PDB file of all heavy atoms in Angstrom:
ATOM      1  N   VAL A   1      -6.040 -13.931   9.429  1.00 98.00           N
ATOM      2  CA  VAL A   1      -6.242 -14.893   8.356  1.00 98.00           C
ATOM      3  C   VAL A   1      -5.514 -16.183   8.708  1.00 98.00           C
ATOM      4  O   VAL A   1      -4.494 -16.162   9.400  1.00 98.00           O
ATOM      5  CB  VAL A   1      -5.754 -14.325   7.006  1.00 98.00           C
ATOM      6  CG1 VAL A   1      -4.247 -14.103   7.029  1.00 98.00           C
ATOM      7  CG2 VAL A   1      -6.153 -15.227   5.855  1.00 98.00           C
ATOM      8  N   GLN A   2      -6.041 -17.314   8.247  1.00 98.00           N
ATOM      9  CA  GLN A   2      -5.407 -18.595   8.482  1.00 98.00           C
ATOM     10  C   GLN A   2      -4.213 -18.797   7.556  1.00 98.00           C
ATOM     11  O   GLN A   2      -4.157 -18.217   6.471  1.00 98.00           O
ATOM     12  CB  GLN A   2      -6.408 -19.731   8.276  1.00 98.00           C
ATOM     13  CG  GLN A   2      -7.544 -19.749   9.284  1.00 98.00           C
ATOM     14  CD  GLN A   2      -8.446 -20.953   9.114  1.00 98.00           C
ATOM     15  OE1 GLN A   2      -8.251 -21.777   8.224  1.00 98.00           O
ATOM     16  NE2 GLN A   2      -9.440 -21.061   9.974  1.00 98.00           N
ATOM     17  N   PRO A   3      -3.238 -19.607   7.966  1.00 98.00           N
ATOM     18  CA  PRO A   3      -2.128 -19.922   7.062  1.00 98.00           C
ATOM     19  C   PRO A   3      -2.633 -20.442   5.729  1.00 98.00           C
ATOM     20  O   PRO A   3      -3.559 -21.253   5.673  1.00 98.00           O
ATOM     21  CB  PRO A   3      -1.346 -20.986   7.829  1.00 98.00           C
ATOM     22  CG  PRO A   3      -1.649 -20.712   9.263  1.00 98.00           C
ATOM     23  CD  PRO A   3      -3.087 -20.251   9.284  1.00 98.00           C
ATOM     24  N   GLY A   4      -2.011 -19.971   4.658  1.00 98.00           N
ATOM     25  CA  GLY A   4      -2.439 -20.320   3.317  1.00 98.00           C
ATOM     26  C   GLY A   4      -3.488 -19.399   2.737  1.00 98.00           C
ATOM     27  O   GLY A   4      -3.783 -19.486   1.537  1.00 98.00           O
ATOM     28  N   GLY A   5      -4.032 -18.519   3.548  1.00 98.00           N
ATOM     29  CA  GLY A   5      -5.054 -17.600   3.098  1.00 98.00           C
ATOM     30  C   GLY A   5      -4.483 -16.361   2.445  1.00 98.00           C
ATOM     31  O   GLY A   5      -3.277 -16.235   2.238  1.00 98.00           O
ATOM     32  N   SER A   6      -5.374 -15.420   2.129  1.00 98.00           N
ATOM     33  CA  SER A   6      -4.999 -14.209   1.404  1.00 98.00           C
ATOM     34  C   SER A   6      -5.591 -12.972   2.053  1.00 98.00           C
ATOM     35  O   SER A   6      -6.649 -13.026   2.687  1.00 98.00           O
ATOM     36  CB  SER A   6      -5.487 -14.275  -0.049  1.00 98.00           C
ATOM     37  OG  SER A   6      -4.907 -15.362  -0.750  1.00 98.00           O
ATOM     38  N   LEU A   7      -4.901 -11.867   1.885  1.00 98.00           N
ATOM     39  CA  LEU A   7      -5.379 -10.552   2.279  1.00 98.00           C
ATOM     40  C   LEU A   7      -4.925  -9.539   1.246  1.00 98.00           C
ATOM     41  O   LEU A   7      -3.888  -9.720   0.607  1.00 98.00           O
ATOM     42  CB  LEU A   7      -4.841 -10.130   3.651  1.00 98.00           C
ATOM     43  CG  LEU A   7      -5.474 -10.711   4.905  1.00 98.00           C
ATOM     44  CD1 LEU A   7      -4.686 -10.242   6.124  1.00 98.00           C
ATOM     45  CD2 LEU A   7      -6.931 -10.301   5.023  1.00 98.00           C
ATOM     46  N   ARG A   8      -5.691  -8.475   1.095  1.00 98.00           N
ATOM     47  CA  ARG A   8      -5.303  -7.358   0.251  1.00 98.00           C
ATOM     48  C   ARG A   8      -5.243  -6.097   1.108  1.00 98.00           C
ATOM     49  O   ARG A   8      -6.245  -5.697   1.705  1.00 98.00           O
ATOM     50  CB  ARG A   8      -6.280  -7.153  -0.903  1.00 98.00           C
ATOM     51  CG  ARG A   8      -5.922  -5.950  -1.793  1.00 98.00           C
ATOM     52  CD  ARG A   8      -6.946  -5.720  -2.896  1.00 98.00           C
ATOM     53  NE  ARG A   8      -6.853  -6.745  -3.929  1.00 98.00           N
ATOM     54  CZ  ARG A   8      -6.081  -6.649  -5.014  1.00 98.00           C
ATOM     55  NH1 ARG A   8      -5.319  -5.575  -5.207  1.00 98.00           N
ATOM     56  NH2 ARG A   8      -6.075  -7.631  -5.908  1.00 98.00           N
ATOM     57  N   LEU A   9      -4.072  -5.486   1.151  1.00 98.00           N
ATOM     58  CA  LEU A   9      -3.885  -4.224   1.843  1.00 98.00           C
ATOM     59  C   LEU A   9      -3.985  -3.075   0.855  1.00 98.00           C
ATOM     60  O   LEU A   9      -3.554  -3.191  -0.294  1.00 98.00           O
ATOM     61  CB  LEU A   9      -2.528  -4.166   2.539  1.00 98.00           C
ATOM     62  CG  LEU A   9      -2.192  -5.295   3.513  1.00 98.00           C
ATOM     63  CD1 LEU A   9      -0.830  -5.034   4.149  1.00 98.00           C
ATOM     64  CD2 LEU A   9      -3.275  -5.438   4.574  1.00 98.00           C
ATOM     65  N   SER A  10      -4.548  -1.964   1.313  1.00 98.00           N
ATOM     66  CA  SER A  10      -4.659  -0.780   0.484  1.00 98.00           C
ATOM     67  C   SER A  10      -4.099   0.423   1.225  1.00 98.00           C
ATOM     68  O   SER A  10      -4.211   0.520   2.441  1.00 98.00           O
ATOM     69  CB  SER A  10      -6.119  -0.509   0.099  1.00 98.00           C
ATOM     70  OG  SER A  10      -6.629  -1.529  -0.734  1.00 98.00           O
ATOM     71  N   CYS A  11      -3.509   1.327   0.481  1.00 97.00           N
ATOM     72  CA  CYS A  11      -2.960   2.559   1.027  1.00 97.00           C
ATOM     73  C   CYS A  11      -3.485   3.717   0.196  1.00 97.00           C
ATOM     74  O   CYS A  11      -3.221   3.787  -1.008  1.00 97.00           O
ATOM     75  CB  CYS A  11      -1.430   2.523   0.995  1.00 97.00           C
ATOM     76  SG  CYS A  11      -0.637   4.073   1.480  1.00 97.00           S
ATOM     77  N   ALA A  12      -4.223   4.594   0.832  1.00 95.00           N
ATOM     78  CA  ALA A  12      -4.760   5.770   0.171  1.00 95.00           C
ATOM     79  C   ALA A  12      -3.843   6.952   0.428  1.00 95.00           C
ATOM     80  O   ALA A  12      -3.559   7.284   1.579  1.00 95.00           O
ATOM     81  CB  ALA A  12      -6.167   6.063   0.669  1.00 95.00           C
ATOM     82  N   ALA A  13      -3.375   7.572  -0.635  1.00 93.00           N
ATOM     83  CA  ALA A  13      -2.456   8.699  -0.546  1.00 93.00           C
ATOM     84  C   ALA A  13      -3.169   9.986  -0.913  1.00 93.00           C
ATOM     85  O   ALA A  13      -3.964  10.024  -1.855  1.00 93.00           O
ATOM     86  CB  ALA A  13      -1.250   8.492  -1.457  1.00 93.00           C
ATOM     87  N   SER A  14      -2.865  11.040  -0.187  1.00 92.00           N
ATOM     88  CA  SER A  14      -3.406  12.347  -0.488  1.00 92.00           C
ATOM     89  C   SER A  14      -2.349  13.402  -0.210  1.00 92.00           C
ATOM     90  O   SER A  14      -1.366  13.155   0.485  1.00 92.00           O
ATOM     91  CB  SER A  14      -4.672  12.627   0.326  1.00 92.00           C
ATOM     92  OG  SER A  14      -4.396  12.611   1.718  1.00 92.00           O
ATOM     93  N   GLY A  15      -2.572  14.586  -0.748  1.00 87.00           N
ATOM     94  CA  GLY A  15      -1.616  15.661  -0.592  1.00 87.00           C
ATOM     95  C   GLY A  15      -1.107  16.126  -1.944  1.00 87.00           C
ATOM     96  O   GLY A  15      -1.750  15.925  -2.969  1.00 87.00           O
ATOM     97  N   SER A  16       0.063  16.733  -1.941  1.00 80.00           N
ATOM     98  CA  SER A  16       0.616  17.305  -3.157  1.00 80.00           C
ATOM     99  C   SER A  16       1.327  16.248  -3.982  1.00 80.00           C
ATOM    100  O   SER A  16       2.293  15.632  -3.528  1.00 80.00           O
ATOM    101  CB  SER A  16       1.574  18.449  -2.821  1.00 80.00           C
ATOM    102  OG  SER A  16       2.626  18.005  -1.974  1.00 80.00           O
ATOM    103  N   ASN A  17       0.845  16.045  -5.190  1.00 74.00           N
ATOM    104  CA  ASN A  17       1.458  15.155  -6.174  1.00 74.00           C
ATOM    105  C   ASN A  17       1.845  13.793  -5.616  1.00 74.00           C
ATOM    106  O   ASN A  17       2.991  13.361  -5.761  1.00 74.00           O
ATOM    107  CB  ASN A  17       2.696  15.828  -6.786  1.00 74.00           C
ATOM    108  CG  ASN A  17       2.383  17.119  -7.492  1.00 74.00           C
ATOM    109  OD1 ASN A  17       1.411  17.202  -8.241  1.00 74.00           O
ATOM    110  ND2 ASN A  17       3.204  18.133  -7.265  1.00 74.00           N
ATOM    111  N   PRO A  18       0.910  13.072  -4.991  1.00 70.00           N
ATOM    112  CA  PRO A  18       1.281  11.760  -4.429  1.00 70.00           C
ATOM    113  C   PRO A  18       1.733  10.764  -5.483  1.00 70.00           C
ATOM    114  O   PRO A  18       2.505   9.862  -5.170  1.00 70.00           O
ATOM    115  CB  PRO A  18       0.004  11.301  -3.726  1.00 70.00           C
ATOM    116  CG  PRO A  18      -1.096  12.037  -4.415  1.00 70.00           C
ATOM    117  CD  PRO A  18      -0.513  13.373  -4.785  1.00 70.00           C
ATOM    118  N   SER A  19       1.284  10.889  -6.725  1.00 73.00           N
ATOM    119  CA  SER A  19       1.651   9.940  -7.765  1.00 73.00           C
ATOM    120  C   SER A  19       3.098  10.073  -8.211  1.00 73.00           C
ATOM    121  O   SER A  19       3.590   9.208  -8.936  1.00 73.00           O
ATOM    122  CB  SER A  19       0.724  10.095  -8.972  1.00 73.00           C
ATOM    123  OG  SER A  19       0.835  11.387  -9.540  1.00 73.00           O
ATOM    124  N   SER A  20       3.793  11.119  -7.804  1.00 79.00           N
ATOM    125  CA  SER A  20       5.183  11.318  -8.200  1.00 79.00           C
ATOM    126  C   SER A  20       6.175  10.578  -7.307  1.00 79.00           C
ATOM    127  O   SER A  20       7.373  10.610  -7.579  1.00 79.00           O
ATOM    128  CB  SER A  20       5.517  12.804  -8.210  1.00 79.00           C
ATOM    129  OG  SER A  20       5.502  13.349  -6.905  1.00 79.00           O
ATOM    130  N   TYR A  21       5.714   9.918  -6.272  1.00 89.00           N
ATOM    131  CA  TYR A  21       6.585   9.245  -5.314  1.00 89.00           C
ATOM    132  C   TYR A  21       6.732   7.763  -5.621  1.00 89.00           C
ATOM    133  O   TYR A  21       5.860   7.142  -6.225  1.00 89.00           O
ATOM    134  CB  TYR A  21       6.029   9.405  -3.896  1.00 89.00           C
ATOM    135  CG  TYR A  21       6.104  10.811  -3.354  1.00 89.00           C
ATOM    136  CD1 TYR A  21       5.113  11.736  -3.633  1.00 89.00           C
ATOM    137  CD2 TYR A  21       7.168  11.200  -2.547  1.00 89.00           C
ATOM    138  CE1 TYR A  21       5.178  13.020  -3.136  1.00 89.00           C
ATOM    139  CE2 TYR A  21       7.235  12.484  -2.042  1.00 89.00           C
ATOM    140  CZ  TYR A  21       6.241  13.389  -2.334  1.00 89.00           C
ATOM    141  OH  TYR A  21       6.308  14.664  -1.825  1.00 89.00           O
ATOM    142  N   ILE A  22       7.854   7.209  -5.174  1.00 93.00           N
ATOM    143  CA  ILE A  22       7.986   5.760  -5.101  1.00 93.00           C
ATOM    144  C   ILE A  22       7.163   5.283  -3.911  1.00 93.00           C
ATOM    145  O   ILE A  22       7.280   5.831  -2.812  1.00 93.00           O
ATOM    146  CB  ILE A  22       9.457   5.355  -4.941  1.00 93.00           C
ATOM    147  CG1 ILE A  22      10.256   5.807  -6.161  1.00 93.00           C
ATOM    148  CG2 ILE A  22       9.593   3.857  -4.728  1.00 93.00           C
ATOM    149  CD1 ILE A  22      11.757   5.650  -5.998  1.00 93.00           C
ATOM    150  N   MET A  23       6.334   4.280  -4.129  1.00 94.00           N
ATOM    151  CA  MET A  23       5.447   3.769  -3.096  1.00 94.00           C
ATOM    152  C   MET A  23       5.893   2.379  -2.673  1.00 94.00           C
ATOM    153  O   MET A  23       6.453   1.626  -3.459  1.00 94.00           O
ATOM    154  CB  MET A  23       4.006   3.711  -3.595  1.00 94.00           C
ATOM    155  CG  MET A  23       3.470   5.029  -4.120  1.00 94.00           C
ATOM    156  SD  MET A  23       3.259   6.269  -2.808  1.00 94.00           S
ATOM    157  CE  MET A  23       2.002   5.481  -1.801  1.00 94.00           C
ATOM    158  N   GLY A  24       5.606   2.045  -1.415  1.00 97.00           N
ATOM    159  CA  GLY A  24       5.998   0.729  -0.963  1.00 97.00           C
ATOM    160  C   GLY A  24       5.322   0.312   0.319  1.00 97.00           C
ATOM    161  O   GLY A  24       4.637   1.097   0.978  1.00 97.00           O
ATOM    162  N   TRP A  25       5.516  -0.958   0.638  1.00 98.00           N
ATOM    163  CA  TRP A  25       5.033  -1.543   1.870  1.00 98.00           C
ATOM    164  C   TRP A  25       6.216  -2.069   2.677  1.00 98.00           C
ATOM    165  O   TRP A  25       7.108  -2.716   2.118  1.00 98.00           O
ATOM    166  CB  TRP A  25       4.045  -2.683   1.606  1.00 98.00           C
ATOM    167  CG  TRP A  25       2.722  -2.216   1.089  1.00 98.00           C
ATOM    168  CD1 TRP A  25       2.338  -2.099  -0.204  1.00 98.00           C
ATOM    169  CD2 TRP A  25       1.604  -1.812   1.878  1.00 98.00           C
ATOM    170  NE1 TRP A  25       1.049  -1.644  -0.281  1.00 98.00           N
ATOM    171  CE2 TRP A  25       0.574  -1.455   0.979  1.00 98.00           C
ATOM    172  CE3 TRP A  25       1.374  -1.708   3.245  1.00 98.00           C
ATOM    173  CZ2 TRP A  25      -0.671  -1.012   1.418  1.00 98.00           C
ATOM    174  CZ3 TRP A  25       0.135  -1.262   3.677  1.00 98.00           C
ATOM    175  CH2 TRP A  25      -0.868  -0.924   2.770  1.00 98.00           C
ATOM    176  N   TYR A  26       6.198  -1.793   3.957  1.00 98.00           N
ATOM    177  CA  TYR A  26       7.189  -2.271   4.901  1.00 98.00           C
ATOM    178  C   TYR A  26       6.458  -2.937   6.056  1.00 98.00           C
ATOM    179  O   TYR A  26       5.277  -2.691   6.272  1.00 98.00           O
ATOM    180  CB  TYR A  26       8.058  -1.114   5.412  1.00 98.00           C
ATOM    181  CG  TYR A  26       8.880  -0.442   4.328  1.00 98.00           C
ATOM    182  CD1 TYR A  26       8.271   0.347   3.352  1.00 98.00           C
ATOM    183  CD2 TYR A  26      10.260  -0.604   4.283  1.00 98.00           C
ATOM    184  CE1 TYR A  26       9.017   0.949   2.355  1.00 98.00           C
ATOM    185  CE2 TYR A  26      11.017   0.007   3.292  1.00 98.00           C
ATOM    186  CZ  TYR A  26      10.390   0.777   2.335  1.00 98.00           C
ATOM    187  OH  TYR A  26      11.136   1.376   1.354  1.00 98.00           O
TER     188      TYR A  26
END
């Protein structure tokens, strides 16, 4: 992407109780 532009990242979680975790991007 060019400077000043935008992107949307997505992370799909699967497995046991993924919604119970703290989620983040590094």
Side-chain angles (χ1 to χ4, degrees):
V1 65
Q2 294 185 358
S6 299
L7 282 175
R8 178 183 288 270
L9 305 182
S10 294
C11 174
S14 61
S16 58
N17 300 316
S19 62
S20 67
Y21 291 85
I22 298 171
M23 305 292 296
W25 289 93
Y26 297 71

